[in-house]
Amino acid sequence: MPSPPATRPATRRSPFRRPTDLVERTRWLFGVCAVVSLVLTSSGAAAEAGTGRLTAIALSGAALIASWLHRYQARRGTVPLDLLDAVAVCVLALASPVPAVALGVTFSALWFRAVYGRTWEIWFYATAQCAGLVAALALWQVVPGHAAAAPAAPLLGALPIAPLLAVVARHLAAVLQEHQLAQAWDATLARLVTQLLGVTDVGQIRQRGWEAADQICRLTPGLVVVVVEDDGERLLVQGTVGPVQHLPATLDRAPVGTDLASAAASQRPGRITAPDELVASAGGVTSWVAIPLPDEPGRFLLLGGKVLHPEGVVLVQSLVNQVALAIRATSAHRELQVQARTDALTGLANRSTFSAALEAAALEAAAPAAADSPWVLFVDLDDFKLVNDRLGHAAGDELLRAVGARLAGAVREPGLCARLGGDEFAVLVHAADAAEAEALGRRLVEVASSPVRLGTGTARVGASVGAARVLPGTSWTTTLQQADLAMYAAKAAGKNRVVVADEGALASA
């Protein structure tokens, strides 16, 4: 099993303070038990011991406590310290009345060591401890003060318990580490959900998703995430997180094409045979799963690891789904915003958007630094009802879309063209004089009056335009009303023309 994830930086911790995290609390408890066992065993072994034996007990105890303290603070075990523990237990056994006295320390130390490191390290530690006790039994009569051979049966009879303890302790450690990893995964996913709240930029959503994927790869040793796009001939690499080195920009599609198609059809994660260059770049990782990215045909997240547990695949799929859900919500939000600002038939700005822009222009005209004033041009199509009556309402809608596009094309940035409703349009231009506004009005009449080819025939309408200057101190509603009145004056004068509102009447209004 891989080393437990480092969910927090390895800072020095006080061994006298009980941790709150489950795994760290278990390690602290096992460490305390080991120290208590050492103290009790040393106290019993020191009874009626001479100076030499007392010194050996003190030194071995100090070495064990120093080794355990380092392991607890560093959150990892090392082979040199494991060998030091074995030598210290051997010395403690030699200084005890019988070697079997040290068994209590060995078993407690084995429990404490099992919650750190990989499985082979635990077996190495158990073997070293047993070797140290057997060495104490073999050296018993060599050490001064031991006249007779030590009884071997109590020690040798209890030693087989050590590997059993190693199995049980390692299983417990594995369960705790998996629990810790699951907690870290869940915390990462929950943090992503919190971060995505209120984010409406798709780029930021994808960035947060990548950061979460990177965190999951850091928590899970050996996990690799690669996003690719299948163009039908090759796989285009679009991003990676995890231990990947020298990955080409394109991958061979042949080994994985069928698997990707199957995953895309089912919209569920599927096992794949990864291309050789991907396996080599990921350090020999051969276990891979393809997760189709929702709403993005042809794009896949490839998840690789030495061992891919179902829980890990489900976690990454949940991350993908959360990002996709946030993107959908953002798209829906933007669509609603667009719908609220635009006319559904023509795609132009609607009445509320035009009103807000006109109100802002009125404030702009009131500014002391304003030179030329903004202008409003009210456009009403002439004889539009005849088109509806002759060709039908569908043809009338088609005509409105065509004329609206023409009017918008005649207005330069930052001007605004809007459909107010029915066959009424309005244009707002900034910083223009009367001649420029009237010239634009004639241009609008020209483009609106050109024949329009429809699905049911050809139609032609005219346009009457009323223009009004946005004067300082005049409300935007008054300006729009004056432009409307000027438009009716254009109709009364024979249609297909431009009439500019009388500024004197507008000022008095």
Side-chain angles (χ1 to χ4, degrees):
M1 180 175 177
S3 300
T7 56
R8 53 177 62 87
T11 55
R12 295 182 65 86
R13 300 168 296 167
S14 171
F16 304 105
R17 182 175 300 173
R18 185 171 178 262
T20 57
D21 179 79
L22 175 62
V23 175
E24 295 302 323
R25 188 165 66 244
T26 302
R27 290 170 174 170
W28 178 84
L29 179 61
F30 284 178
V32 170
C33 290
V35 171
V36 171
S37 175
L38 175 62
V39 171
L40 295 177
T41 300
S42 300
S43 300
E48 301 180 1
T51 304
R53 289 170 57 191
L54 286 175
T55 302
I57 291 172
L59 290 177
S60 61
L64 287 171
I65 291 178
S67 172
W68 296 342
L69 184 61
H70 177 274
R71 183 181 305 141
Y72 177 74
Q73 291 183 334
R75 292 185 175 91
R76 62 185 180 89
T78 61
V79 171
L81 289 181
D82 291 346
L83 294 175
L84 174 63
D85 283 10
V87 172
V89 167
C90 179
V91 173
L92 178 62
L94 288 172
S96 301
V98 291
V101 170
L103 283 171
V105 176
T106 295
F107 293 157
S108 298
L110 189 57
W111 277 100
F112 182 51
R113 183 63 177 86
V115 290
Y116 294 95
R118 295 180 287 270
T119 300
W120 73 265
E121 294 176 338
I122 310 308
W123 283 108
F124 176 81
Y125 189 83
T127 302
Q129 288 288 307
C130 292
L133 292 175
V134 172
L137 190 63
L139 297 174
W140 186 260
Q141 287 185 287
V142 179
V143 176
H146 297 154
L155 180 63
L156 298 179
L159 278 183
I161 299 176
L164 294 179
L165 282 179
V167 171
V168 175
R170 190 54 190 164
H171 175 74
L172 174 62
V175 171
L176 290 174
Q177 291 172 5
E178 289 176 358
H179 177 74
Q180 183 186 34
L181 181 59
Q183 282 187 323
W185 283 349
D186 292 342
T188 301
L189 194 58
R191 185 163 53 250
L192 172 64
V193 173
T194 302
Q195 290 175 342
L196 293 180
L197 293 176
V199 179
T200 57
D201 182 76
V202 174
Q204 290 185 8
I205 292 174
R206 295 186 188 278
Q207 179 62 30
R208 301 284 170 81
W210 272 114
E211 292 172 357
D214 180 66
Q215 180 64 18
I216 290 174
C217 288
R218 293 176 184 272
L219 292 169
T220 314
L223 192 66
V224 178
V225 171
V226 180
V227 173
V228 298
E229 182 176 359
D230 183 6
D231 67 357
E233 297 181 357
R234 55 186 178 173
L235 301 181
L236 308 179
V237 177
Q238 297 184 331
T240 65
V241 291
V244 181
Q245 295 181 345
H246 310 299
L247 183 64
T250 61
L251 301 175
D252 183 14
R253 185 183 183 275
V256 73
T258 303
D259 297 333
L260 292 182
S262 177
S266 64
Q267 285 297 301
R268 299 179 60 184
R271 293 278 177 177
I272 63 171
T273 302
D276 293 338
E277 55 266 43
L278 177 57
V279 173
S281 299
V285 171
T286 57
S287 183
W288 291 86
V289 165
I291 301 177
L293 297 183
D295 306 325
E296 300 184 54
R299 298 189 73 221
F300 299 86
L301 184 148
L302 306 185
L303 181 65
K306 295 181 179 178
V307 178
L308 282 181
H309 297 288
E311 297 82 1
V313 176
V314 170
L315 169 78
V316 176
Q317 187 177 19
S318 298
L319 185 152
V320 169
N321 291 339
Q322 289 294 338
V323 172
L325 184 62
I327 292 176
R328 288 174 189 167
T330 295
S331 300
H333 178 70
R334 288 185 174 179
E335 185 175 350
L336 289 175
Q337 285 185 324
V338 170
Q339 291 177 356
R341 295 194 305 264
T342 60
D343 173 60
L345 179 63
T346 62
L348 301 176
N350 58 17
R351 177 180 287 272
S352 62
T353 302
F354 187 83
S355 299
L358 181 54
E359 184 176 10
L363 295 176
E364 174 187 327
D372 293 332
S373 299
W375 281 77
V376 173
L377 290 88
F378 201 108
V379 182
D380 186 90
L381 302 185
D382 298 327
D383 303 322
F384 174 73
K385 184 176 182 301
L386 297 178
V387 176
N388 268 344
D389 294 340
R390 182 168 61 89
L391 300 178
H393 289 282
D397 290 346
E398 187 178 356
L399 176 66
L400 289 175
R401 284 193 291 267
V403 172
R406 290 179 180 181
L407 295 177
V411 180
R412 291 181 297 181
E413 294 288 346
L416 177 67
C417 181
R419 178 178 176 236
L420 303 184
D423 59 351
E424 295 180 341
F425 297 83
V427 171
L428 173 65
V429 292
H430 297 266
D433 56 25
E436 291 172 335
E438 189 172 359
L440 176 59
R442 288 194 297 268
R443 175 61 180 159
L444 296 177
V445 170
E446 178 184 351
V447 298
S449 302
S450 300
V452 178
R453 187 176 299 277
L454 306 175
T456 56
T458 301
R460 181 170 185 172
V461 294
S464 297
V465 178
R469 186 195 300 267
V470 181
L471 296 177
T474 304
S475 68
W476 67 270
T477 54
T478 299
T479 303
L480 187 60
Q481 182 183 14
Q482 291 301 313
D484 188 23
L485 293 175
M487 179 272 296
Y488 279 111
K491 283 186 178 292
K495 303 180 181 179
N496 265 12
R497 65 193 62 219
V498 181
V499 171
V500 178
D502 179 35
E503 292 189 6
L506 182 60
S508 62

